[in-house]
Amino acid sequence: MSFNKKIAAVSLLLFAATIAHAQNVVSFTHQPGDFSIVSKGHPATIYTDRNDYWLVQQVSRWLQADVAAVTGAQPDTSHQVNQLPDGAILIGTIGHSAPIDQLIAEKKLDVSQVAGKWETFRIQVVSSGQKNILVIAGSDKRGAAFGALELSEQMGVSPWYWWADVPVRQRKEVYIAKGAHLFGPPSVKYRGIFINDEAPAFSGWTKEKFNGVNHLVYEKIFELLLRMKANYLWPAMWGNAFNDDDTLNPVMADRYGIVMGTSHHEPMLRAQQEWKRYGNNIWNYETNAPALRAFWTTGIEHMRNHESIVTIGMRGDGDKPMTQGSNVELLEKIVADQRKILADVTGKDPSATPQLWALYKEVQDYYDKGMRVPPDVTLLLCDDNWGNVRRLPSLADKKRPGGYGIYYHFDYVGGPRNYKWLNTNSIPRTWEQMHLAYQYGVDRIWIVNVGDLKPMELPISFFLDYAWDTHKWNAGNIGSYTTQWAARQFGEKESAAIGHILSAYTQINARRKPELLSPDTYSLVNYNEANRAVEEYAALNKQAAAIGARLPAGYHDAFYELVQHPVEACSNLNAMYVAAAKNKWYAAQGRSMTNELADSVKQYFKKDEEISQYYNTQLAGGKWDHMMDQTHIGYTYWQQPPNNTMPAVKTISISSGARMGVAIEGSTASWPNDTAVAVLPEFSEYGRRVHYIDVFNRGTEPFKYEVSSSASWLHISAPTGMVAKENRILLTVDWKNAPMGIKQVPVTVSGPAGKVVVQANIRHLGNGSAAFGEADKTVSMDAAHYTRAIGGNDIHWDVVPEIGRNSSGVALFPVTVSPVVPGGSSPRLEYQVYLSDTGMAKLYAYLSPTLDFNGGEGLHYGISIDDEAPQIISIHSDKSNRAWEQSVADEIRKPLSQHHITKAGIHTVRFWAVDPGVVLQKLVLDMGGVKPSYLGPPETSRMASAD
Ligand code: REL
């Protein structure tokens, strides 16, 4: 290496050392050399070139207001850029800001990594003589805007300050660390949201607060988008038409630098409503092409020079499939005609205008049948409306100039059921699916359906953060997103506790959308599932309330909107459904508690209304009125009910006197009426440690009961007592003193009706191995608790935290590896189990409802026990719509394999990698004991860890 080259290499290294990517640049205490934004009450002045973009002037005003909100000291803004004084803040677009261009020309500002890039910016303290100037230089207008807003957020102004009332944290002083800080370019070029399904909530709110969905609302949305470094919007379209409703809408979008589109089924920048308003005859290209062409021509004429992405193609009117018999040829002609309109109106080659073709629902079939659009058009792949990507480009596909995008959903109107009330989106699952998409080359457009916008604040933030920088989040750190996000809204102090609430509530809501909950969701009798679900949510609600109470009063509205409301509302909803289920069951058993449960269902239902009422009318002084107008109780099919309807309840007449009844875990029967033998689920060291007997009253008078057994090591929580309504008696085994082997112990319940004998079966095998023990003829193992994870050359398994319905998941990475032939030393997860039973074993793999995104034979995994050859199981063997509906409603797929167990003892279950993209949540080995439940048997324990 020549001396000069060495110097060059060293200075490159130095340069690399001083330029930092996307890091914290703001501090609140002074370090030597720092640039001061506000120091000792004196704010710096913000300069922009008056010839720079409108957006740059606008962000300088936002920054001015933000600095004032943070420090109380309001900076001046100025266009006097000829002689920038020491301490000036300069915001500008390269090529549009004379002072920025001058600094570049003077070689004081190196923009070699910025100029010509998409939405890239550099924040740098530039020293010129005795002067220090803070320069925010954008490669384009959005780059400059994002730079200024990056400072705002780092100073403590949340993008959600207005949309979720997040307070601005007060600081006395604000500084910028010296050095150069480079941000961008973004991982995904167009990143945006779709306001959709906006009645009744968003429409009611906008009507009351803005007199319609007009530019005043949109300006708030544009600002929010920019503060989250987004650039793209599909506007509200239920009864609304962006361009037609308010002529200022498109003008303001252009000024704010927001790229506008129309939804997947509204071609040529014209809203469906516009056809309703002005369309001539029917929406059918076979019979009405001239009218449609004229209609679309107007759409492109209105586009003018506004940055837009034009949706092309066509679906039937009102987002339905086109008429039967519509074919590839017709659709290809439609696209060709639309592109001709584009060329005619713009006078440019059609490829000069960004376009997308959305492969939504049946449109993907056209694609599969071979239909293609010109390569400059972005292929907008879609999820299944339930957050599972349907199709990704094949890794072998040649790069298309138009690239690929994805249309994703956080809210949906359609089957198997609408979900449009509260946030039900899991951040880890969104990460996992969008990671998959990005790794397969989907990086041109990411757009997500966000319903009414509120209350989707958390997933919107994540979607856009991730689209901005996909390298930042991975399986190893995605579990911390909620805590980091909480810190951005509420400060560090409570962020871990708030992050936990956010993760926990979204995990619970994602496993079954509230709209799909019913009294039948969770099992009342098996695994104590229904009670556990209620207790889990109630505990979370208590924690949330306690955190809320600890936060300063100024945070209460934001905390309620972003954290507490969904927890309170869903905790109440779960409790209501379980109370309704119990009411029905108790009525059948004649329990005297029946009528009280009916009353509690009424109270929960009323409470639900009060919660919405509070959100609408009192929260933030009524700022969000109507945002909680969405009905959510009483669904009978996919479409929402017109009103919330309380679940049916029963009341019974209670006989006088004291009348004892006995019910036990695992059975819907009750004694003494029932003639079958009452048998409790088996006691095992490795299963649930507690089983219960309910002693209840069918009459009006309290009575005395006694529960006894001859086994001193079988502990009875309350051997005697008085029953007014019902007492739950908990039975546990003192394993240290219990005899080894299998024992049957009769437990006698005595009361006014005589005696009921309940049989307790105890299996005591002892400890000593790290294997999962069998309990009640069941072994249930969370995927992340493998005994061994064996990867391969450049292939490894990662735990994706909290992606499961009530656990984490494990998946193969990188997701782009070729399918693996399982067997021998190939990648696998191993789980050691101890089986005390022999015979046929059913092995269920609980998997996230990932779709066959390759469009091939489906995704597979391999499975074996001990030295069996791996069975290759397709997770998509049932391709019916019914199977898909079930998988998204239950948020799980549970393929089954069968294995023959010939001897008791230790065995190894092997889950073999075949296709990447498969996410394993848990494995359940059924030796004949698995009971019906929603979530499946809770995890059994490992023998070594049992006492
Ligand atoms: O969620 C979707 O993607 C679609 O169902 C909607 O985009 C659709 O346009 C609907 O709002 C009605 O027009």
Side-chain angles (χ1 to χ4, degrees), residues 194 196-197 237-238 263-265 272 318-319 360-361 385 407 409 411-413 449:
F194 176 22
N196 188 224
D197 310 333
M237 45 75 62
W238 274 26
S263 75
H264 58 92
H265 64 103
Q272 188 200 351
D319 196 29
Y360 186 72
K361 290 193 177 167
N385 298 300
Y407 169 36
H409 284 75
D411 163 294
Y412 180 54
V413 167
N449 189 323

Side-chain angles (χ1 to χ4, degrees), residues 329-392:
E329 214 177 310
L330 174 68
L331 205 49
E332 278 177 346
K333 175 162 171 44
I334 292 170
V335 169
D337 291 356
Q338 290 171 334
R339 284 172 64 88
K340 181 162 183 320
I341 295 171
L342 267 174
D344 290 349
V345 176
T346 61
K348 295 184 197 142
D349 188 87
S351 63
T353 308
Q355 296 145 66
L356 66 82
W357 182 43
L359 304 188
Y360 186 72
K361 290 193 177 167
E362 82 294 340
V363 182
Q364 188 177 294
D365 302 337
Y366 287 94
Y367 181 74
D368 287 342
K369 280 187 209 150
M371 171 167 170
R372 292 294 177 267
V373 290
D376 60 278
V377 177
T378 303
L379 285 186
L380 190 73
L381 303 159
C382 298
D383 69 354
D384 58 354
N385 298 300
W386 285 73
N388 308 299
V389 298
R390 294 204 304 166
R391 178 64 54 82
L392 295 176

